[in-house]
Amino acid sequence: MAHSDPEPALGEEDRDDARGYADVRRERVGSVLMLAAALGAAGLGAGWNAWFLPDAASETSTAHRPVAVDEDGYVASETCRACHPSQYETWHASHHRTMTQVVSEDTVIADFDDRRLVHFGREFRFYREGNGFFMEMKAARSPTSGEALPGRTFELVLSTGAHHQQAFWFRTGEGRNLGKLPFIWITSEQRWVPYGSIFVAPPSRPNMQTGLWNKTCIKCHVVRGQPRWEAEPSPDTRVAEFGIACGACHGAAEEHAAIHRNPLHRYREHFSTEDDPTLVNVADLDHQRSSQVCGQCHAVFDFFDAESEAAYDHQGFAYRPGGDLHASRHVFQFGQDRADPVVARNLEKTPQYFERRFWSDGMVRVSGREYNGMLETPCHQRGTMSCLSCHSMHPGTDDRRPRGEWANDQLKPGMRGNPACLQCHEQYEAEAELVRHTHHPASSAGSRCTNCHMPHTTLGLMKAMRSHTVDSPDVATTMATGRPNACNLCHLDKTLAWTADHLSAWYEIPPPALSEEQRSVASSVRWILQGDAGQRAIAAWHYGWEPAQEASGTEWMGIYLAELLTDRYDVVRFIGQQSLKRLPGYADFEYDFVDPEAFRSARRLRAEAKWREGADRPSASEALLIDAEGHLMDDRFRELRGRRLDPPVILAE
């Protein structure tokens, strides 16, 4: 990954030299520009520019997968590179670029070196041959009917992602229609897992759904996607560019590139104070329109009606950066009338449509939908907060962070800390005022704005993430929605009553009526033992979160994380294992969250025994079900666990 090396400090003499060099350099640059202008004016620039501003080749000759084609005024990012090298370099280092790639030696990070695995009794082999990448599904006999199941080989043609996971799509032989590989590569673990294991969803058999990429993934993972679906099952799917590239944010740039081939025009434009009408600069848009550029992908939305869906099926969305996103699609927001035709249609099709995406008060609960979260935030509604308030698509030249660090969340420098909020709430810049407000030491995690007002209550990519709706912790809200509150996600060893009492004393938030169990048992323990799969996953992730471990201690956590090693949801087991490995003494604990159930049960018993036999006993705590000798109150544990309702949960991230 490319990165910038920090510049050495300059002495005064060095600075004089630097200033002198800069002056000379400016003179030279000016001379070069003037020369270029003269060449352009003399008509000699056309040939020079044809080399300097290359056009990307279209792929119309490729027949077995979607193709990238220059049309509708869009051009490939390579065209932008010559005049905007810094922006191109930062985009190229971003994970937006890899959201869709043509499978090749340069783009595949997964293991295809004759890697084999067995799933549901069937053997699969991942291998490469020549320049191609393949998955072979071996012939087998159905374990239920005894029917002979033929073998089959799949050639992979496109991939999705790389940072966290890499998914693959195979050619179906039906025109440009693609099928979904039933396995996915987990980058952090360097391993293949079943595709369904990465989502909060009940266990299911692998499937090879076709058409999903052409109809759905294309909405967001490319520039200017056109399903051209009318020829199903052989759609003629096209895109302007694979991955989320320049055109996704700046729109069609053919006119811009053509006009700026003339050096004189570029020279004049460089010193102009007028907006360039040939291209959208997101930074020049107001906070609503600039956020909508991100919202075209980071939102829960649907078509207005059958007519708009049919139009999309052919030519993709009509939205272009700078336009009104809400005029092109229905963006779901809390408080919308359930009788609204779009809302009613989705509820008729999927009665749990909202529950799979939102908490019951409208806060989004799945990753990749941050625009919905921001729409509910007063800072956006009544202020000017936008995505660009904290995030940057192109880090500045003064940003010395390694590109990989920036690319992780594409945050501006300092935006992981309180400066993000101090842009407007400057009164808390003074340490005394900050401490008076938070009731926590200024340097502690309890004085970090986002830990209280944007806790990790969103799930996606097999982990908890920060909500993008700014709100304040309130026990009444937790009871009404089931969403864990910020206080109990850090103070994992405390009860709802403890939180309610502190919020009442510090902020005069009325404490709600609580049951005896809510008053006596730590909230995180209740979420682990009695919560639904989403609550269990969020609680489990926080058991491995360093600020929560510091606030709550870790010596009691092992027995609860061991409980999750046999959870019926794959992703809950994965998160539980990840947090268990962050406890002292468990870093090397062997466990595989997709092993057969018997193996998982055996490892759970081993994890329990390891905790029970440990020398570092936790202090007595009724809230944590720990008795005076530091042992688990087993009867109480089983009684609480036995009352788990555990309704099926599907989160549509």
Side-chain angles (χ1 to χ4, degrees):
M1 191 70 71
H3 65 275
S4 301
D5 294 325
E7 287 187 355
L10 296 179
E12 272 309 305
E13 193 174 296
D14 296 324
R15 291 193 177 93
D16 288 338
D17 288 345
R19 280 193 287 269
Y21 172 73
D23 291 339
V24 172
R25 184 172 56 182
R26 277 195 291 274
E27 290 176 8
R28 288 175 178 171
V29 170
S31 299
V32 169
L33 289 173
M34 291 302 291
L35 174 61
L39 290 172
L44 298 176
W48 178 74
N49 282 318
W51 169 79
F52 199 59
L53 299 174
D55 289 320
S58 292
E59 299 183 307
T60 49
S61 61
T62 301
H64 61 275
R65 62 163 171 79
V67 289
V69 179
D70 286 351
E71 57 185 9
D72 296 335
Y74 279 84
V75 298
S77 297
E78 194 66 29
T79 305
C80 312
R81 182 179 189 176
C83 292
H84 306 280
S86 174
Q87 289 82 357
Y88 180 91
E89 180 268 324
T90 51
W91 160 75
H92 198 272
S94 77
H95 302 301
H96 279 123
R97 179 182 63 82
T98 61
M99 289 315 299
T100 299
Q101 299 180 98
V102 175
V103 165
S104 74
E105 190 74 31
D106 295 331
T107 60
V108 171
I109 62 171
D111 185 355
F112 280 86
D113 291 335
D114 199 29
R115 191 69 176 262
R116 298 166 188 260
L117 59 86
V118 176
H119 188 59
F120 279 98
R122 196 156 193 182
E123 183 179 352
F124 298 84
R125 182 168 75 101
F126 302 85
Y127 68 100
R128 60 180 72 193
E129 189 171 284
N131 294 323
F133 291 79
F134 302 87
M135 185 195 77
E136 179 187 13
M137 183 169 62
K138 299 283 190 179
R141 192 164 294 281
S142 169
T144 53
S145 66
E147 175 189 3
L149 304 174
R152 186 178 169 188
T153 297
F154 302 87
E155 181 182 1
L156 311 180
V157 291
L158 291 184
S159 67
T160 298
H163 183 203
H164 298 286
Q165 300 151 357
Q166 190 167 41
F168 291 90
W169 309 88
F170 61 82
R171 59 188 293 183
T172 62
E174 297 172 335
R176 306 190 193 284
N177 199 6
L178 300 182
K180 181 188 70 179
L181 199 72
F183 298 93
I184 190 168
W185 178 258
I186 305 297
T187 304
S188 62
E189 303 299 303
Q190 291 290 287
R191 62 172 299 186
W192 291 98
V193 300
Y195 191 88
S197 295
I198 68 171
F199 300 109
V200 177
S204 61
R205 286 185 174 274
N207 69 76
M208 300 183 186
Q209 186 177 3
T210 60
L212 179 66
W213 193 95
N214 306 72
K215 187 77 183 283
T216 301
C217 301
I218 194 175
K219 291 177 181 175
C220 294
H221 291 176
V222 301
V223 177
R224 178 76 178 103
Q226 302 176 69
R228 300 165 74 98
W229 192 251
E230 57 272 21
E232 184 187 5
S234 301
D236 181 26
T237 305
R238 297 183 176 190
V239 306
E241 186 169 3
F242 291 116
I244 301 166
C246 305
C249 298
H250 299 287
E254 184 180 56
E255 181 185 1
H256 176 84
I259 289 176
H260 289 77
R261 286 177 188 274
N262 184 325
L264 271 181
H265 191 95
R266 292 203 301 275
Y267 191 57
R268 185 170 59 248
E269 193 69 34
H270 181 73
F271 292 100
S272 172
T273 58
E274 302 293 326
D275 291 340
D276 182 351
T278 64
L279 196 72
V280 174
N281 185 347
V282 181
D284 292 337
L285 301 175
D286 65 39
H287 76 289
Q288 293 176 323
R289 289 297 172 95
S290 68
S291 298
Q292 289 176 13
V293 174
C294 307
Q296 66 179 309
C297 292
H298 292 264
V300 181
F301 57 78
D302 199 6
F303 307 105
F304 289 121
D305 49 32
E307 184 179 353
S308 64
E309 182 173 3
Y312 163 81
D313 283 350
H314 175 61
Q315 61 192 12
F317 284 116
Y319 172 77
R320 299 291 181 272
D324 182 1
L325 179 70
H326 296 252
S328 71
R329 67 198 72 182
H330 181 100
V331 179
F332 291 99
Q333 287 184 253
F334 179 61
Q336 288 177 334
D337 187 355
R338 295 290 173 115
D340 177 279
V342 180
V343 176
R345 184 182 70 227
N346 279 281
L347 289 174
E348 181 180 3
K349 193 186 322 179
T350 309
Q352 306 84 18
Y353 184 87
F354 283 94
E355 287 79 357
R356 291 180 178 184
R357 295 162 176 82
F358 300 92
W359 297 97
S360 61
D361 62 351
M363 184 180 291
V364 72
R365 65 182 301 187
V366 293
S367 66
R369 310 292 183 263
E370 291 76 13
Y371 179 67
N372 295 86
M374 194 175 63
L375 287 178
E376 304 300 332
T377 297
C379 305
H380 178 76
Q381 295 170 337
R382 301 195 290 271
T384 59
M385 187 179 86
S386 73
C387 303
L388 296 182
S389 296
C390 297
H391 296 272
S392 170
M393 297 302 101
H394 303 291
T397 55
D398 58 343
D399 189 341
R400 300 301 185 193
R401 294 174 297 173
R403 283 284 183 263
E405 180 180 337
W406 159 78
N408 191 38
D409 288 314
Q410 296 196 201
L411 285 166
K412 294 177 179 176
M415 292 297 116
R416 290 192 188 283
N418 288 354
C421 300
L422 294 177
Q423 296 177 76
C424 294
H425 302 276
E426 63 274 3
Q427 67 270 30
Y428 299 117
E429 192 166 3
E431 183 173 313
E433 189 62 20
L434 177 67
V435 171
R436 190 198 68 77
H437 173 67
T438 66
H439 299 271
H440 287 74
S443 60
S444 72
S447 280
R448 179 77 64 85
C449 305
T450 48
N451 286 344
C452 296
H453 299 291
M454 285 177 56
H456 300 81
T457 54
T458 296
L459 284 171
L461 298 172
M462 309 179 83
K463 63 180 181 179
M465 301 180 183
R466 290 198 183 281
S467 162
H468 276 60
T469 298
V470 176
D471 78 340
S472 297
D474 187 336
V475 173
T477 300
T478 294
M479 294 178 64
T481 66
R483 182 175 62 249
N485 64 75
C487 305
N488 289 113
L489 286 177
C490 198
H491 297 278
L492 298 167
D493 57 336
K494 303 301 183 187
T495 66
L496 279 182
W498 178 90
T499 298
D501 290 344
H502 280 78
L503 292 177
S504 175
W506 291 351
Y507 306 108
E508 300 181 348
I509 297 175
L514 299 172
S515 69
E516 179 55 33
E517 194 168 285
Q518 290 166 334
R519 300 192 65 83
S520 62
V521 180
S523 295
S524 77
V525 168
R526 292 176 48 251
W527 291 323
I528 291 281
L529 296 181
Q530 297 184 311
D532 67 25
Q535 293 169 318
R536 297 199 296 275
I538 289 174
W541 184 87
H542 284 85
Y543 275 45
W545 189 43
E546 188 174 343
Q549 291 185 339
E550 291 178 359
S552 313
T554 59
E555 64 278 4
W556 57 275
M557 292 181 177
I559 192 66
Y560 291 102
L561 292 173
E563 161 68 20
L564 298 181
L565 299 183
T566 52
D567 198 283
R568 74 185 182 107
Y569 286 74
D570 292 9
V571 74
V572 174
R573 296 197 300 271
F574 176 82
I575 296 174
Q577 174 204 16
Q578 295 297 306
S579 290
L580 184 67
K581 289 166 64 176
R582 296 190 181 100
L583 299 184
Y586 289 88
D588 298 325
F589 186 80
E590 294 184 2
Y591 170 81
D592 190 335
F593 78 108
V594 293
D595 261 349
E597 185 174 355
F599 289 89
R600 300 198 305 265
S601 296
R603 296 312 298 168
R604 171 193 167 170
L605 293 175
R606 179 69 196 105
E608 285 184 5
K610 182 178 177 66
W611 180 82
R612 292 178 189 278
E613 296 164 0
D616 188 16
R617 304 311 309 159
S619 302
S621 168
E622 181 183 357
L624 299 176
L625 314 185
I626 302 296
D627 66 17
E629 283 73 42
H631 301 303
L632 183 69
M633 301 175 185
D634 286 295
D635 290 345
R636 183 69 167 142
F637 182 98
R638 284 193 291 269
E639 189 264 331
L640 290 173
R641 172 65 179 82
R643 288 195 280 115
R644 179 191 294 175
L645 297 177
D646 206 12
V649 174
I650 297 176
L651 295 183
E653 63 173 282

